[in-house]
Amino acid sequence: MSEVALHAALSWTVLGLAVPTFLVLRFVSAPYGRHARAGWGPTLPSRIGWIAMEAVAFVGFALVFALGPGRADLVPVLLASMWLVHYGHRAFVFPFRLRASGKRIPLAIVAMGALFNTLNAYLNGRWLSAFGEYTVAWLRDPRFILGVTLFVTGFAINVWADQVLIRLRAPGESGYKIPRGGLYERVSCPNYLGELMEWTGFALACWSLPALAFAVYTAANLVPRALTHHAWYRQRFPDYPRERKAIVPFVL
Ligand code: NDP
């Protein structure tokens, strides 16, 4: 099998895996953060877990992208920058902002996250600098313009929303409060909404199978978690705002 055929088969596999992932996560919440529980094997400090899980998406993508013949072409470089800005922040800034004293994450979750991120980094990095074909005319295509706009807006929402949550805790605290203000008046998880907008925008801007697979897989991962978070808030806080939705304002 040629590498191009293998790459396509793996991209279809990620897309197909979105269905069982969604179904499983509707019944079993990933055991980290507020849903952490015993019985998932050895654990790591949360901060280390986040760095280990996400750094592979940054480093792996950068390496694969740098090996492709299109590594210096304008459009691939712009699309790659979107990925690297997101994962540079997720791997090397976000973990150091967390107020995660005493919090741990199962090694199994870190390993699964790192495995997925490695595969995803290969699929998207390889596409952008080797298998995709982008000319500078793509910069004027509405899919590119809309995709980049959606990505940038989603990134801003994601970083803002995570920061609101992080600031709910004083240093050393580990409990939960009701987040308020801005998009939090509409949904329980604007950070997940922002993340979903980012990868939907990236998929539009790349117009590729691996980017589409990643966006769909992200939805399969984050929509069930947002629904679980939302139900948890309602159960935990009797005064939780009734009009708030889980992840999509006015809808879901
Ligand atoms: P959460 O919203 O569960 O938590 C984010 C941080 O805020 C955690 O440190 C959490 O603490 C803290 N926190 C959350 N809610 C409250 C509250 N009500 N009161 C006080 N502190 C709170 O997000 P995740 O940890 O699941 O995800 C973190 C980031 O990673 C998000 O931006 C998300 O979009 C992204 N992500 C992306 C995925 C993808 O598929 N692309 C998959 C998973 C995450 P604690 O950990 O103690 O609960």
Side-chain angles (χ1 to χ4, degrees):
M1 188 189 264
S2 69
E3 192 197 346
V4 173
L6 176 68
H7 181 277
L10 289 171
S11 300
W12 281 109
T13 303
V14 171
L15 197 54
L17 279 175
V19 177
T21 300
F22 179 84
L23 293 175
V24 169
L25 291 177
R26 281 301 283 131
F27 298 102
V28 186
S29 54
Y32 71 90
R34 77 195 66 188
H35 308 296
R37 50 204 185 272
W40 287 80
T43 57
L44 291 174
S46 281
R47 188 170 285 118
I48 308 251
W50 275 105
I51 298 170
M53 212 165 25
E54 308 293 334
V56 292
F58 181 90
V59 177
F61 179 95
L63 284 175
V64 170
F65 183 83
L67 289 173
R71 62 181 166 267
D73 294 349
L74 180 60
V75 177
V77 166
L78 287 176
L79 293 167
S81 313
M82 292 157 70
W83 181 287
L84 292 172
V85 166
H86 172 90
Y87 278 108
H89 171 267
R90 176 69 70 234
F92 307 119
V93 179
F94 171 77
F96 295 98
R97 288 201 172 136
L98 288 176
R99 296 199 170 142
S101 61
K103 295 271 177 164
R104 300 183 70 84
I105 185 167
L107 188 56
I109 293 285
V110 175
M112 281 190 280
L115 190 69
F116 176 83
N117 282 342
T118 304
L119 174 62
N120 197 33
Y122 160 72
L123 292 175
N124 281 284
R126 193 72 176 140
W127 177 271
L128 287 180
S129 70
F131 302 154
E133 284 173 22
Y134 298 98
T135 64
V136 284
W138 184 244
L139 296 177
R140 289 191 302 273
D141 192 289
R143 288 166 289 183
F144 178 81
I145 296 166
L146 186 64
V148 171
T149 308
L150 200 56
F151 178 90
V152 171
T153 310
F155 182 72
I157 290 174
N158 177 262
V159 172
W160 166 81
D162 275 338
Q163 197 55 27
V164 168
L165 293 178
I166 288 165
R167 286 202 184 125
L168 287 175
R169 288 180 184 153
E173 267 183 6
S174 60
Y176 295 90
K177 297 167 191 166
I178 300 179
R180 307 225 180 239
L183 262 176
Y184 278 104
E185 298 307 321
R186 295 280 159 236
V187 291
S188 294
C189 304
N191 52 346
Y192 295 167
L193 171 64
E195 181 102 21
L196 213 49
M197 288 169 66
E198 282 181 65
W199 299 117
T200 305
F202 183 75
L204 257 181
C206 295
W207 204 252
S208 72
L209 178 61
L212 172 71
F214 182 31
V216 173
Y217 194 86
T218 301
N221 193 6
L222 292 185
V223 170
R225 194 161 178 87
L227 293 171
T228 313
H229 271 23
H230 188 61
W232 179 94
Y233 272 125
R234 285 186 156 188
Q235 197 179 23
R236 169 114 173 198
F237 299 102
D239 56 338
Y240 197 69
R242 301 301 302 172
E243 66 283 3
R244 241 179 244 194
K245 297 288 186 184
I247 183 165
V248 182
F250 310 109
V251 179
L252 183 68

